[in-house]
Amino acid sequence: MHPEPELAQAPAALAAAVLTSGNRTIVFVVAGIALAALVTARLFGRQVLRADEGTPAMRRIAAAVQEGANAYLARQLRTIGLFAVVVFLLLMALPADSWSQRAGRSLFFLVGALFSAVTGYVGMRLAVRANVRVAAAAREASPGPGEPGRDPAEAARRAMRIAFRTGGVVGMSTVGLGLLGAACVVLVYAADAPKVLEGFGLGAALIAMFMRVGGGIFTKAADVGADLVGKVEQGIPEDDPRNAATIADNVGDNVGDCAGMAADLFESYAVTLVAALILGKAAFGDHGLVFPLIVP
């Protein structure tokens, strides 16, 4: 028996899939929504930073945590940058159907790595500034002796609003950057998009791996140090201001649970989106390049 002519021609038709004008318009709309998500993240961040930072002592402690977190992340990103350059060159050397695909794969590897690093950096940078603002807002629920009474419910709502918008910045950045990167690849490369998207997903995964693992190791090391110095040697809690390792412990929480987790979330989102686009193109051609962008 011989295969039907339509079935025999299906793989060739899928390989030659191109975006129709209608589907291209949809992808442009998706890219616009991604930019709107980034604008929303920016607005949330500005609202968080306008909140009060509390007492001078609170600001001093918060500044110490910010300094430690920024120093750690800057050092980590310099190290990761060297690995990114090496992988970029390796991707250029690996075979592809054309030089256009090879260059696009390597270029969008750097784009994925940059977006993942930006998501982690934004998450940590805002978190170390929002922590003290949430504490200051919640503190208003418990006035000290001789202070005028306050509305505890309103103070709790204000603290929750600041905390939620801080997390919203990371969420909107993850969705915005992930969709924007994938939409740009689809618009530029169309049928070749899946092969270029491999580089985008790899870049996101590489940075997230280093930031998640590195931040996690720092977090656990600082936590153990705070326990040993405080609980074992001095008999004081690890979060007591008299504990010399308290700042390092708080820095570790931010670089591991904020920067590392934010980069990891972007990696998961980007890689899932890339996988859906690759499978969609293989199964449905032109429509498979668009539907996985419409859903998120």
Side-chain angles (χ1 to χ4, degrees):
M1 296 178 66
H2 298 284
E4 295 293 335
E6 293 81 1
L7 295 178
Q9 296 172 2
L14 291 179
V18 293
L19 287 178
T20 63
S21 58
N23 283 342
R24 186 175 294 274
T25 301
I26 293 175
V27 178
F28 272 116
V29 172
V30 170
I33 292 173
L35 292 174
L38 296 177
V39 172
T40 303
R42 174 65 177 167
L43 293 176
F44 280 172
R46 293 179 63 181
Q47 291 172 354
V48 170
L49 294 178
R50 282 201 299 263
D52 181 55
E53 296 183 71
T55 65
M58 295 170 67
R59 298 183 186 190
R60 186 169 61 253
I61 295 173
V65 175
Q66 293 166 22
E67 180 182 2
N70 288 332
Y72 169 83
L73 199 58
R75 181 68 183 88
Q76 186 183 50
L77 290 177
R78 285 199 302 270
T79 303
I80 296 175
L82 299 176
F83 284 92
V85 172
V86 172
V87 176
F88 172 82
L89 297 176
L90 287 175
L91 288 176
M92 287 294 291
L94 290 176
D97 294 341
S98 66
W99 272 103
S100 175
Q101 288 183 19
R102 189 177 298 187
R105 182 180 60 192
S106 300
L107 175 62
F108 276 93
F109 163 79
L110 293 181
V111 172
L114 176 64
F115 282 1
S116 181
V118 166
T119 304
Y121 179 77
V122 168
M124 186 216 67
R125 183 174 176 81
L126 189 61
V128 295
R129 284 160 175 76
N131 291 337
V132 67
R133 289 170 168 83
V134 173
R139 181 175 174 271
E140 296 183 5
S142 303
E147 295 182 0
R150 303 184 179 97
D151 182 4
E154 177 58 29
R157 281 193 295 270
R158 189 180 301 112
M160 180 62 187
R161 189 181 305 119
I162 296 172
F164 187 83
R165 287 177 179 171
T166 302
V169 171
V170 177
M172 289 292 177
S173 298
T174 298
V175 175
L177 292 175
L179 275 180
L180 183 63
C184 288
V185 173
V186 172
L187 285 172
V188 174
Y189 290 94
D192 294 334
K195 298 179 181 179
V196 175
L197 283 167
E198 294 172 358
F200 182 71
L202 179 61
L206 178 73
I207 300 300
M209 178 184 67
F210 277 100
M211 295 185 70
R212 190 77 179 102
V213 174
I217 292 173
F218 187 97
T219 294
K220 296 309 176 187
D223 188 51
V224 170
D227 287 342
L228 291 175
V229 173
K231 296 177 181 178
V232 178
E233 294 185 4
Q234 302 297 327
I236 56 178
E238 61 178 293
D239 293 327
D240 193 294
R242 297 170 297 169
N243 189 338
T246 295
I247 296 300
D249 190 15
N250 281 272
V251 169
D253 289 340
N254 282 283
V255 301
D257 297 337
C258 296
M261 183 64 76
D264 192 43
L265 285 172
F266 177 81
E267 181 266 343
S268 299
Y269 184 86
V271 170
T272 303
L273 186 57
V274 167
L277 286 165
I278 292 174
L279 293 174
K281 190 261 181 181
F284 303 108
D286 181 25
H287 297 300
L289 287 173
V290 177
F291 184 71
L293 295 175
I294 296 175
V295 174

